[in-house]
């Protein structure tokens, strides 16, 4: 599966959640403008965002984590088809238990929504100085703003956890967060430099 459009079509046909175009363009612009070279992504899915990030420049390296074996295998195929296996490393693992020693210019949280706070707290020590933690899906298809859009009990529980995460970001004393209404709503959190 060679082209980005093929990957997007596969995602649509197989109900694989991938980033909306304007959210993706926003993050790609951030990577370029802030000279991001190393990225940790929580939630590979089929490799769409990792590939988009790595294609921005030849010296961008992505470490990405996926728990689902089928999506992991599809991501490996897509990354190989795009000749990016030397710059994108996919880990088949539960990000909640995986450890990294290195520092990353950007940490992109796009995995299981219910664990966003845990992921933020767990990986913030892996953020390089001047880096950012970017979180996606903070609107969750509009449901965060309007819970009446769903009548599904488990979805409502999930939406409440996303609301709790947003509150966590707003009240965080260690990081400053800006929220952007692009894609499915994106947050950019940067460490507050203590004077």
């Amino acid at each position: 599966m060679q082209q980005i459009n093929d990957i997007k079509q596969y995602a649509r046909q197989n109900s694989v959640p991938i980033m909306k175009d304007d959210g993706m363009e926003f993050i790609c612009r951030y990577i370029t403008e802030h000279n991001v070279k190393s990225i940790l992504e929580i939630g590979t899915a089929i490799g769409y965002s990792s590939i988009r990030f790595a294609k921005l420049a030849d010296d961008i390296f992505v470490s990405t984590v996926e728990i689902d074996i089928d999506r992991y295998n599809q991501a490996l195929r897509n990354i190989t088809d795009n000749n990016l296996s030397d710059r994108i490393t996919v880990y088949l693992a539960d990000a909640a238990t995986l450890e990294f020693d290195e520092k990353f210019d950007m940490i992109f949280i796009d995995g299981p929504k219910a664990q966003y706070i845990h992921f933020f707290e767990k990986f913030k020590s892996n953020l390089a100085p001047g880096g950012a933690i970017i979180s996606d899906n903070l609107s969750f298809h509009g449901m965060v703003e309007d819970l009446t859009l769903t009548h599904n009990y488990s979805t409502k529980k999930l939406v409440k956890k996303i609301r709790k995460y947003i509150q966590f970001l707003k009240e965080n004393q260690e990081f400053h967060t800006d929220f952007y209404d692009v894609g499915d709503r994106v947050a950019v959190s940067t460490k507050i430099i203590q004077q």
Side-chain angles (χ1 to χ4, degrees), residues 114-181:
Q115 297 191 62
Y116 270 26
I117 292 177
H118 176 68
F119 292 147
F120 191 102
E121 292 285 43
K122 179 178 171 61
F123 293 113
K124 68 184 182 184
S125 60
N126 293 102
L127 192 64
I133 298 176
I134 298 184
S135 313
D136 189 31
N137 301 119
L138 297 189
S139 174
F140 206 68
H141 320 294
M143 294 177 208
V144 169
E145 296 78 21
D146 183 3
L147 203 51
T148 62
L149 291 175
T150 181
H151 299 292
N152 181 297
Y153 174 71
S154 58
T155 305
K156 281 187 172 181
K157 261 177 71 174
L158 185 60
V159 168
K160 285 175 180 170
K161 284 187 174 164
I162 296 171
R163 285 179 173 175
K164 195 174 165 190
Y165 178 66
I166 291 167
Q167 205 54 40
F168 161 82
L169 292 177
K170 286 178 176 174
E171 293 171 359
N172 198 303
Q173 301 292 303
E174 200 180 351
F175 284 80
H176 169 78
T177 299
D178 290 308
F179 296 90
Y180 298 90
D181 286 317

Side-chain angles (χ1 to χ4, degrees), residues 16-47:
V16 178
I18 60 171
M19 282 199 80
K20 290 186 176 180
D21 288 346
D22 54 342
M24 176 57 73
E25 296 309 326
F26 173 85
I27 295 179
C28 286
R29 202 161 52 245
Y30 184 94
I31 289 168
T32 304
E33 287 172 1
H34 292 83
N35 201 30
V36 169
K37 298 302 176 194
S38 57
I39 300 166
L40 171 61
E41 176 185 48
I42 309 303
T44 314
I46 55 172

Side-chain angles (χ1 to χ4, degrees), residues 50-121:
S50 296
I51 291 167
R52 289 289 306 269
F53 298 159
K55 280 181 175 278
L56 291 170
D58 291 339
D59 55 351
I60 291 175
F61 291 83
V62 183
S63 296
T64 180
V65 187
E66 179 56 51
I67 196 168
D68 182 282
I69 182 76
D70 295 328
R71 288 182 179 178
Y72 166 83
N73 286 326
Q74 188 61 54
L76 288 182
R77 283 193 288 273
N78 292 338
I79 289 161
T80 301
D81 286 349
N82 281 274
N83 300 313
L84 290 167
S85 302
D86 56 334
R87 293 196 288 114
I88 301 176
T89 305
V90 190
Y91 296 87
L92 177 62
D94 181 352
T97 58
L98 196 61
E99 301 289 338
F100 287 94
D101 293 327
E102 62 261 49
K103 305 278 187 191
F104 300 91
D105 298 329
M106 183 180 109
I107 296 173
F108 180 44
I109 302 179
D110 194 23
K113 315 301 162 212
Q115 297 191 62
Y116 270 26
I117 292 177
H118 176 68
F119 292 147
F120 191 102
E121 292 285 43

Side-chain angles (χ1 to χ4, degrees), residues 3-13 18 21 48:
Q3 299 306 317
I4 288 293
N5 286 337
D6 295 337
I7 298 174
K8 285 168 79 170
Q9 192 176 345
Y10 176 93
R12 268 194 302 274
Q13 289 168 347
I18 60 171
D21 288 346
Y48 171 68

